[in-house]
Amino acid sequence: MDVMTKPARRTAPASRLVRAELRWIFRRPRTLAVLGLLALIPVIMGIALTVADPTAASSGGPPGNDGGNLLPAAAASVLVLPIAALTMTLQMLLPLAAAMSGADALAGETSTGTLRGWLLAPVGRAKLLLVKALGVATFTLAAAAVIAATGILTALVINGDGTLSTLSGTTLSIPDAVGRVALAVGWVTLQLWAVGAIALAISAFTEHPMVVLASVLGGVIVFTVLGSLDALSWLHPFLLTEVWWSLVDVLRDPVPAADLIDGGLKAACYLAIGLSLAYARLVSKDG
Amino acid sequence: MNTKRKAATVAVAGTAAGALGLGLLAMPAGADSAPELPEIGAQQLVGSVLKTEPPAMSGTATVDNELGLPAMPGVPALDAQSARVYYDGDGKGRVAMEQQSSELTYVLGDKEFWSYDSAEGTATRTALPADARDKHRSAKAAGADPTRTAAQVVDRLEESSTVSVDGTARVAGRAAYELVLTPKPDERTLVREVRVAVDAEKRLPLRMSVLTHGTTDPAFEIGFSEIEFGPQPERLFEFSPPEGTKVTESEAGRPDGPRGESGEEPQFRVTGDGWDTVVLTRVPQEMRDRAQGEGADVEGMLDRFGKPVQGEFGSGHVIETRIGTALITEDGRLAAGAVPEQVLRQALENR
């Protein structure tokens, strides 16, 4: 008797929900378009730097202010080009992609009415947030990985497997170099998770995806402006955008870990703030 | 109601935890209280510093510069530079000066000295004389009796300053003694005191700060922000330039910096002693011509950063910073020292 009346399953397993969410995300044309455009950036950088006169590039501009120094070296190296592309896109385009993904996850679904199904379904709100957060996390990882991969491929096509030299003048072995690019991808993804978590929080409060995009992008710009004002130096340790330059440290040898760890911890703090706010809003949201 | 309260709790707790974490990360390190250390005399401390061989270590050194030096176009700002330092405890070392997206690396190896600039992609190799390190070592050994040398050093310093051990400090997480040099009251100098923090265990100087009158913040400070003692990997002290690097050979014996093209070495003359020492020299005519030739507006620059002065020595410009003053006359004489302008004037007039 007991065996016969096994109760119908009341909740879907999380893994199935995540798979459904991922399929949903990666079948959207705009997701693929964004990933495709991000993949083009290292290719464009590589070609532009090869075509441009390298001597003119190295003498132009004041040293050490805008990452310009990284660029002349970038085309020459399988190691430097992916990192340079990640550093550049991390300033604006990757946060934009993370914000887009966060905006679609909640606000987008609210605006098309599909979130209602989630809220009424027998799925806990914590599980819902987990699924959405994992969706954003996977998308940002894919974005960073795509940039690194096309960066490596572009440099290989332009130079062959030539030079793997660090900023400190040492030459790395291939596994070591790949490890560093992987480290950079992981670190960038963590930073993007922080941005994505804030985007999710805003996303939970609104039903207009554009509001999420605008506020995250505006936030990044405001943080960058605040970071460039010397008079506000007391505020700088709190700004997430300030730590993004330390990505260059993976090109030094040995890697000075202090700034990278510090940046990772700060991202974790933003992640905690964003996710807890998003959860608080989702829990009290009416179906 | 229940979910509302739950939502509020999670929101407040999560945000507070995140904000607290950020606050903790933002707190400057080294805010700990001064450590308790056994008393030590100045002479004994100096002796132990002279006796110690720097051990193998790695660390990050930072320069903090509040000199009030005018920012010059084309001259990189000195402030808030940081460098990673590696030392194998046996005469080999590596220094990497970090710039935002490039690095200047100096490697002192067994037989050669390398400098590498990643922004320019250039390297300079200097072969060291085979006996350089042995000589260096035997010189250390010949300084045989550190206690006597220490006594001499302290005596020498005490002609012009008061040398004392003033409490303790924590530098880069290590307990340190603060050795303080205070100029005697009759020394005419801008410097109020110089503090050197010496590691209590390893007796390695960890930080030096120069303080001037009227402020408590150091005008100039150089020291370790992180330091770790222990053996370093051997590969750090070898260098082979990466592919595509322009390598220039430099002549031996002068590993530091490019040598001026001019055959004429500037002549230095020193007046005064102790803290009010003034260095007098002459800017080589050749150098001034070259600067003019390269389109540098020397006069304009002096007008901008210095103030014009006149006196028995003629006329010129005086450039003041918080720890030093320089006076350049129209005819190319230069006087500089850690002194007020008046002392420089006298030095120029008395020649």
Side-chain angles (χ1 to χ4, degrees):
Chain A
M1 188 79 176
D2 280 2
V3 182
M4 294 297 286
T5 56
K6 189 177 170 195
R9 196 159 47 191
R10 300 297 302 277
T11 58
S15 61
R16 209 178 79 203
L17 294 176
V18 171
R19 247 181 294 137
E21 173 77 8
L22 289 183
R23 210 176 307 132
W24 179 244
I25 290 177
F26 284 98
R27 279 193 185 162
R28 266 185 216 136
R30 62 170 170 273
T31 307
L32 298 177
V34 166
L35 288 180
L37 287 175
L38 286 176
L40 274 183
I41 288 174
V43 181
I44 297 171
M45 277 174 70
I47 293 174
L49 290 168
T50 318
V51 172
D53 182 14
T55 51
S58 66
S59 62
N65 275 334
D66 45 3
N69 281 333
L70 208 50
L71 291 179
S77 169
V78 174
L79 176 65
V80 180
L81 184 61
I83 310 274
L86 281 173
T87 315
M88 252 185 66
T89 46
L90 184 58
Q91 303 304 313
M92 191 59 78
L93 287 175
L94 282 175
L96 184 66
M100 191 198 83
S101 157
D104 277 339
L106 294 174
E109 294 219 26
T110 313
S111 69
T112 55
T114 42
L115 191 70
R116 203 177 152 74
W118 276 102
L119 295 176
L120 294 176
V123 175
R125 299 289 162 89
K127 205 185 248 178
L128 167 59
L129 181 64
L130 180 76
V131 169
K132 292 296 181 186
L134 280 176
V136 174
T138 314
F139 172 72
T140 48
L141 175 64
V146 153
I147 291 182
T150 50
I152 292 178
L153 286 180
T154 310
L156 274 179
V157 168
I158 294 177
N159 287 294
D161 57 346
T163 47
L164 293 172
S165 59
T166 61
L167 291 181
S168 309
T170 50
T171 304
L172 298 179
S173 65
I174 288 179
D176 201 359
V178 171
R180 294 214 181 191
V181 174
L183 173 71
V185 168
W187 193 82
V188 165
T189 309
L190 180 59
Q191 299 298 321
L192 292 178
W193 287 357
V195 177
I198 302 292
L200 273 179
I202 303 170
S203 191
F205 279 91
T206 178
E207 57 185 37
H208 305 293
M210 278 312 286
V211 172
V212 183
L213 272 189
S215 17
V216 171
L217 211 55
V220 170
I221 293 171
V222 167
F223 272 30
T224 311
V225 170
L226 292 180
S228 65
L229 296 177
D230 284 339
L232 294 175
S233 54
W234 56 270
L235 190 64
H236 291 178
F238 293 96
L239 303 178
L240 192 61
T241 48
E242 282 293 288
V243 306
W244 287 348
W245 279 113
S246 45
L247 180 59
V248 179
D249 282 353
V250 302
L251 291 178
R252 306 185 197 279
D253 191 42
V255 179
D259 283 354
L260 289 173
I261 292 173
D262 183 62
L265 290 176
K266 278 178 188 166
C269 290
Y270 275 89
L271 193 66
I273 296 176
L275 286 184
S276 61
L277 287 178
Y279 178 72
R281 178 64 190 131
L282 266 188
V283 163
S284 55
K285 205 162 189 156
D286 293 326
Chain B
M1 190 59 211
N2 194 16
T3 49
K4 281 261 162 65
R5 192 178 304 151
K6 192 171 155 196
T9 317
V10 170
V12 169
T15 311
L20 189 72
L22 283 178
L24 285 178
L25 288 171
M27 258 206 322
D32 342 332
S33 56
E36 297 263 344
L37 292 172
E39 298 259 326
I40 188 170
Q43 191 157 321
Q44 206 185 339
L45 186 59
V46 173
S48 61
V49 171
L50 293 177
K51 189 166 62 182
T52 189
E53 289 269 346
M57 56 105 184
S58 69
T60 309
T62 48
V63 177
D64 205 1
N65 166 351
E66 304 281 337
L67 293 180
L69 203 67
M72 296 202 194
V75 179
L78 252 179
D79 56 357
Q81 283 267 17
S82 77
R84 286 174 292 128
V85 182
Y86 305 89
Y87 187 69
D88 78 335
D90 194 27
K92 287 187 282 185
R94 169 188 278 257
V95 175
M97 311 259 293
E98 288 180 16
Q99 267 130 11
Q100 184 138 43
S101 58
S102 64
E103 200 165 281
L104 290 173
T105 307
Y106 303 93
V107 179
L108 179 62
D110 241 338
K111 297 186 184 67
E112 41 192 31
F113 173 84
W114 281 95
S115 66
Y116 174 71
D117 181 346
S118 80
E120 304 284 337
T122 53
T124 312
R125 176 184 175 278
T126 313
L128 299 176
D131 56 342
R133 277 179 62 207
D134 296 335
K135 220 192 287 177
H136 170 73
R137 244 182 250 150
S138 59
K140 266 252 154 108
D145 186 1
T147 28
R148 211 174 59 212
T149 327
Q152 284 167 357
V153 169
V154 172
D155 280 350
R156 188 73 205 281
L157 288 171
E158 279 187 334
E159 283 169 21
S160 58
S161 345
T162 322
V163 185
S164 59
V165 178
D166 178 23
T168 58
R170 206 166 265 285
V171 180
R174 297 191 60 90
Y177 290 106
E178 289 259 40
L179 185 70
V180 181
L181 298 181
T182 317
K184 291 247 165 84
D186 58 338
E187 300 280 321
R188 297 170 301 173
T189 173
L190 296 171
V191 176
R192 176 161 57 96
E193 60 183 31
V194 175
R195 305 181 79 90
V196 181
V198 177
D199 190 290
E201 184 198 342
K202 306 277 186 185
R203 297 300 158 87
L204 186 75
L206 295 179
R207 182 178 66 192
M208 187 191 86
S209 6
V210 180
L211 291 104
T212 54
H213 292 285
T215 59
T216 49
D217 285 337
F220 179 82
E221 188 168 82
I222 180 166
F224 286 102
S225 57
E226 275 168 55
I227 191 163
E228 240 175 89
F229 294 98
Q232 302 299 317
E234 189 61 25
R235 68 179 183 91
L236 288 179
F237 308 109
E238 287 153 11
F239 188 86
S240 50
E243 251 175 87
T245 307
K246 261 180 280 166
V247 179
T248 40
E249 294 276 332
S250 141
E251 56 185 299
R254 291 191 57 131
D256 42 5
R259 190 190 193 124
E261 303 267 308
S262 67
E264 176 193 4
E265 288 283 308
Q267 298 288 315
F268 287 104
R269 220 159 53 79
V270 174
T271 67
D273 61 356
W275 292 92
D276 41 24
T277 303
V278 173
V279 178
L280 293 162
T281 183
R282 182 171 276 283
V283 183
Q285 185 65 38
E286 210 181 315
M287 206 156 106
R288 278 186 291 161
D289 289 347
R290 203 168 44 182
Q292 295 283 15
E294 282 167 10
D297 182 7
V298 178
E299 285 298 310
M301 224 154 89
L302 284 176
D303 273 338
R304 229 169 31 167
F305 301 125
K307 67 174 200 267
V309 284
Q310 278 179 340
E312 281 176 46
F313 57 87
S315 63
H317 289 89
V318 62
I319 297 174
E320 286 176 316
T321 70
R322 279 176 56 198
I323 60 170
T325 312
L327 206 165
I328 304 169
T329 62
E330 301 285 329
D331 55 356
R333 281 176 297 150
L334 173 79
V339 294
E341 182 194 334
Q342 191 56 38
V343 183
L344 294 184
R345 282 167 172 267
Q346 284 169 7
L348 281 171
E349 280 157 14
N350 290 343
R351 55 191 263 137

